[in-house]
Amino acid sequence: LQVDLWQPSSPFHIIEGTVTDVRVPRNASRSLLPYLQHANIQYTILLADVQRAIENQTGLRTYRNRRSLSGYNYEVYHTLEEIQDWMQHLNRTHPDLVHLFSVGTSYEGRPLSVLKLGKRSRPYKKAVWIDCGIHAREWIGPAFCQWFVKEALQTYQTDPAMRKMLTQLYFYIMPVFNVDGYHFSWTNDRFWRKTRSKNTRFRCHGVDANRNWKVKWCDEGASFHPCDDTYCGPFPESEPEVKAVAHFLRKHRKQIKAYLSFHAYAQMLLYPYSYKYATIPNFSCVESAASNAVNALQSAYGIRYRYGPASSTLYVSSGSSMDWAYKTGIPYAFAFELRDTGHFGFLLPETLIKPTCTETMLAVKNITLHLLKKCH
């Protein structure tokens, strides 16, 4: 059992039989480490200086000039403003393949931007939905969404597989789902997870946008308490971000054949169900797609991904976007948990963006091409 436990009030929160990630102030480590040794608890120091790791990603480093759109760097993490500028730039410069639109507005009034990617070759085409950044602190997700768009535009002319994908399908790509939370993770709290909506009864902000969907809402794996990281919200689709995307997916559910959501971290490829231990009706098709995708991913750098139903492969959670998409009628619904398995966790270094995105690209292309074949 992996538990993310940031800044525990005391080391007594550490429970026998669990693996616990603990983030402590530098001076507190002097009292914590002797306690762990005395209690015969095994420990490993993963990051000796978390603050420095954060500053390496968020610091103002003028040498890399993140804001240059002509030479946009896909191997660094970008702020929300930079990503939004990048989307507008692509919309202007690639009108044949890119169409930028908004599905709604966030709690704090930011546009919920989506890129429609594909050749306008016929009036009706099947589609794939891809979203990243439902959880604010999982920065490798938005980095992958940007990478996918880059690869699609750069290889459309030269890669027959990409040409086939963009000719026969549309891709709806939402690089940052939780725009308010992502912005907050850059400006205030690097480890922020939820949205930024206000609660009238509690001082705590935000809802877990991956527990807020109308599918077994607020059952196992979700919390009713507004201060918890897995708070499900006051009611399903209470968050304007979730409501807007759900409305769009419902409206286009006959067109959209695959739903892909990108998270971190665990190195897993998950499919329904999350909320219960049960086999989905089209299990054989989805299972073979997942197996092939994981094998394709591993072929790049040898990185192994586990795959299977989310409930048994990761943990039981209710109100997830993946389960909702599947229940709404989208036959292929997947959630990726990208690198790594816990050493860097949410602070995956920028040097690992390229290999992570390169291998994930192989998996996504594999799933997409699987869609274009008949699976009985």
Side-chain angles (χ1 to χ4, degrees), residues 10-134:
S10 82
F12 299 102
H13 279 97
I14 299 170
I15 303 165
E16 185 177 357
T18 67
V19 176
T20 305
D21 293 340
V22 184
R23 177 165 59 102
V24 294
R26 193 192 308 263
N27 56 0
S29 64
R30 294 180 193 145
S31 58
L32 176 63
L33 298 185
Y35 165 81
L36 296 176
Q37 291 163 349
H38 179 74
N40 201 27
I41 295 173
Q42 292 182 325
Y43 67 89
T44 303
I45 297 174
L46 298 176
L47 292 174
D49 194 335
V50 173
Q51 184 61 34
R52 178 174 290 182
I54 293 171
E55 288 168 359
N56 283 344
Q57 294 179 358
T58 60
L60 294 172
R61 287 163 290 166
T62 54
Y63 71 84
R64 77 182 196 187
N65 189 16
R66 276 194 300 219
R67 293 181 181 277
S68 170
L69 286 172
S70 58
Y72 195 77
N73 190 347
Y74 293 88
E75 296 180 36
V76 298
Y77 295 117
H78 288 278
T79 64
L80 180 65
E81 181 187 9
E82 290 163 3
I83 295 171
Q84 289 174 335
D85 288 348
W86 166 81
M87 294 172 83
Q88 290 171 358
H89 174 74
L90 292 184
N91 190 52
R92 288 193 304 269
T93 56
H94 295 80
D96 55 328
L97 287 173
V98 174
H99 171 60
L100 173 64
F101 66 98
S102 173
V103 293
T105 307
S106 73
Y107 180 83
E108 293 181 343
R110 296 181 174 90
L112 302 173
S113 302
V114 175
L115 290 172
K116 183 180 182 181
L117 198 61
K119 198 73 180 169
R120 297 183 186 92
S121 51
R122 60 186 83 161
Y124 175 85
K125 293 202 296 184
K126 294 177 182 177
V128 175
W129 171 276
I130 297 176
D131 65 48
C132 299
I134 279 185

Side-chain angles (χ1 to χ4, degrees), residues 20 31 47 74 79 91 123 147 189 203 234 236 246 253 278 295 319 332 354:
T20 305
S31 58
L47 292 174
Y74 293 88
T79 64
N91 190 52
W147 188 277
D189 180 357
R203 290 187 178 179
R253 65 175 175 261
N295 288 338
Y332 288 87
K354 183 178 180 179

Side-chain angles (χ1 to χ4, degrees), residues 6 18 36 42 80 94 133 140 149-150 152 154 179 182 210 216-217 228 237 244 261 268 298 358-359:
W6 303 108
T18 67
L36 296 176
Q42 292 182 325
L80 180 65
H94 295 80
I140 188 60
V149 175
K150 168 191 78 86
Q154 287 182 355
V179 287
Y182 184 74
N210 206 35
K216 212 71 176 177
W217 175 77
D228 289 344
E237 296 182 22
S261 190
M268 294 178 180
Q298 189 178 341
T358 299
E359 66 194 8

Side-chain angles (χ1 to χ4, degrees), residues 264-282:
Y265 54 94
Q267 292 175 197
M268 294 178 180
L269 177 52
L270 309 171
Y271 52 81
Y273 296 106
S274 282
Y275 72 89
K276 64 178 179 179
Y277 299 105
T279 303
I280 53 177
N282 63 337

